[in-house]
Amino acid sequence: MPYSDQILEHYNNPRNVGSFDAKGENVGTGLVGAPECGDVMRLQILVNPATGVIEDAKFKTFGCGSAIASSSLATEWLKGKTLDQAMDIKNTEIVEELALPPVKVHCSVLAEDAIKAAVKNFQEKQEARQPAEAAVAG
Amino acid sequence: MLKLPIYMDNNSTTRTDPRVVEAMLPYFTEQYGNAASRSHPFGWAAEKAVDDARDQIGKLIGATGKEIIFTSGATESTNLALKGVAAMYKKKGNHIVTQVTEHKATLDTAKRLERDGVQVTYLPVDKFGRVSADQVRDALTDKTILVSIMMANNEIGTVQPVADIGKVCKERGVLFHTDAVQAVGKLPIDVQAMGIDLLSLSGHKMYGPKGIGGLYVRKKDPRVRLEPIIDGGGHERGMRSGTLPVPLIVGLGKAAELCRSEMADEIKRTYALRERLRSRIMDNLPESYLNGHPTERLPGNANISFAYVEGEGLMMGIKDVAVSSGSACTSASLEPSYVLRALGVGDELAHSSIRFGLGRFNTEEEVDFVSDLVVREVTRLREMSPLYEMAQAGVDLKSIQWAGH
């Protein structure tokens, strides 16, 4: 199966490989997929709590070249976006940008899931903190 | 000077040896007769060439030339062996014994026969991919007409105890077929000593042309009879009609002769290359595992799983090297290799497997290049793998509730 230049470029020079401390209060972590399915993506966002803007993003992926490229691209797109904008990223945009073949569409779905999981994780952390802050204020 | 890409997928197919091509050429343009034409020199020359090829193939496996039936390839040979026996011996019984890591040519044929009322026992294998003669003996019933166990596995290279199984079959008067596609020309074979009644072989796995294969059909003690699956002019003792592809047959014959005359050296050489590759990779990469049997395996096969790295992802990193993976991503299905699963290799490690198939035309220089590249790419991909990071941090990956998709 021939791969697009875009996939190869991200595979050979992946952007934003790495990790943030998952316990960090401004970090949202999305871990999706399963080893026995051959794909695991971990996508993390670092959010400015005052503005709600994603300031940085990192990933690590176990998977095929298309899965690695999809997550690499996702981290690029996330930087500078608000959480709402991040939630609007569609897997079909990833398919288009990377020219993923039909058998690799699931990689883009996984990337979209990872974005949503990371945002949700950040939001849950914020909500969990609010009652505590309220108690201090009271 | 190293030439890219490097071919290390010799369990899939092999390059046709140039000496084989040379032997074939006159039979396209000069000796183009039909081997069945009995009335003119063109036919006689073709018939002689075919008979010579039969003898060359027979010699390679300890059979006579007359016992070789030509087919389009080993898939057809195996179909003919199983379906032909099931139909011919149906009054005697309706039970076949095989095992779970057979090639699909055997498994899917067996499944079709099951739909037609044949009972099939699929023996499990041990963690190295082997069945034992005792397992076969225990599976035999008074209705068993055929045992079909491959000689060597195409994915993991494990060699089965064929001679022991042949002995059990002889004791019980049950016919024994072996799919020897991966073994013919690579390992010494003697159908007499091994008690084999039917044997499938393929030209393109042994440096011969594609589109030609053979089925050894024992002629005495016992004389094996088969119901044909292709009817027509009654060629090949009525077992396989169709005009013989003389150039391909000449090529298969020549390939067999070369394998026979060079086998001792070739086994040593391929084994040395395989061990060089395997040790250079595995000594430098912790948590890499050899799939299949450590010693009872094809000389040229190394199937290795690299924990925390997905096989197809790795293949992209070594794209100048032609290999295969047991990863689901390389096939149309989403399941990883059924062969690795049958061994009890976990799905994660099955996804992480790469099959290296070394052969006649590989060099030490290629082995060194490939092993260095694999070590470098696996290391790079592990740095990119969340599973590797978690494992390094002491997280038990099995304790995590994965969200499968």
Side-chain angles (χ1 to χ4, degrees), chain A residues 67-121:
Chain A
I68 291 171
S70 296
S71 33
S72 168
L73 177 67
T75 57
E76 266 197 330
W77 280 358
L78 285 171
K79 286 194 208 181
K81 282 201 166 57
T82 64
L83 295 175
D84 286 345
Q85 287 169 333
M87 291 298 272
D88 278 344
I89 295 175
K90 297 276 176 298
N91 82 291
T92 47
E93 299 169 86
I94 295 171
V95 171
E96 204 171 310
E97 175 68 21
L98 294 176
L100 291 179
V103 295
K104 295 295 174 190
V105 169
H106 72 275
C107 298
S108 68
V109 174
L110 205 59
E112 184 186 319
D113 290 350
I115 294 171
K116 293 197 157 59
V119 170
K120 192 163 157 256
N121 176 253

Side-chain angles (χ1 to χ4, degrees), chain A residues 3 7-8 11-12 14 17 19 31 33-40 42 60-65 68 104 106 110, chain B residues 308-310 312-314 316-317 329 347-348 351-352 377 380-381 383-387 389-390 402-405:
Chain A
Y3 290 100
I7 295 176
L8 289 171
Y11 175 84
N12 290 322
V17 175
S19 0
L31 181 66
E36 57 269 25
C37 302
D39 286 307
V40 175
R42 191 193 59 198
K60 281 199 176 185
T61 289
F62 162 84
C64 63
I68 291 171
K104 295 295 174 190
H106 72 275
L110 205 59
Chain B
Y308 320 120
V309 172
E310 198 274 334
E312 196 197 344
L314 177 55
M316 193 181 275
C329 292
D347 280 2
E348 184 219 324
H351 280 293
S352 302
E377 278 301 307
R380 180 178 89 97
L381 290 169
E383 289 304 320
M384 224 188 280
S385 166
L387 305 180
E389 187 187 298
M390 291 158 122
W402 297 102
H405 61 100

